[in-house]
């Protein structure tokens, strides 16, 4: 189990507890924060877009080329953007803080 801080689209912070071994998208999708994850995690919808603090970026799994290409086309792209479906939750990510990006 690990603890995450999630900032929703209204700017409210939520401390959540999640199992490790699944993706961040799966943890967010079951909550009521508007993460639709329409494609189910195959890097084609970007409805799981989040922002990650820069200091955490190097601790995340490397970006697949498909994620790299898709995320740079988003209207709300930032240099700390990631697709949460590509982030497997491991104990090393305990304490991670993510912000859910605006709807495209
Ligand atoms: S769930 Fe579709 S890109 Fe992540």
């Amino acid at each position: 189990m690990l603890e995450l801080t999630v900032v929703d689209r209204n700017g409210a912070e939520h401390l959540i507890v999640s199992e490790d071994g699944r993706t961040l998208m799966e943890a967010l999708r079951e909550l009521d924060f508007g993460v639709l994850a329409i494609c189910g995690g195959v890097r084609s919808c970007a409805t799981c877009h989040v922002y990650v603090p820069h200091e955490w970026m190097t601790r995340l799994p490397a970006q697949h080329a498909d994620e790299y290409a898709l995320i740079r086309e988003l209207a709300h792209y930032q240099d700390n953007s990631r697709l949460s479906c590509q982030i497997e939750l491991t104990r090393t990510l305990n304490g991670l803080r993510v912000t859910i990006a605006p709807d495209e």
Side-chain angles (χ1 to χ4, degrees), residues 3-23:
E3 289 187 351
L4 307 167
T5 299
V6 179
V7 181
D8 68 24
R9 291 188 174 118
N10 296 316
E13 289 189 16
H14 309 270
L15 183 63
I16 68 168
V17 176
S18 176
E19 300 168 18
D20 49 332
R22 63 181 184 162
T23 67

Side-chain angles (χ1 to χ4, degrees), residues 30-88:
E30 67 189 30
L31 302 169
D32 193 21
F33 299 148
V35 174
L36 300 179
I38 293 168
C39 77
V42 296
R43 302 182 296 259
S44 64
C45 72
T47 59
C48 66
H49 181 196
V50 296
Y51 303 125
V52 177
H54 289 96
E55 62 270 26
W56 283 89
M57 291 292 279
T58 57
R59 298 195 220 179
L60 301 182
Q63 277 186 324
H64 186 281
D66 291 346
E67 179 186 2
Y68 186 88
L70 175 60
I71 212 162
R72 278 160 180 74
E73 294 181 3
L74 300 178
H76 298 101
Y77 167 77
Q78 298 180 1
D79 64 359
N80 61 340
S81 289
R82 289 296 308 257
L83 298 178
S84 61
C85 65
Q86 301 303 298
I87 300 174
E88 182 179 351

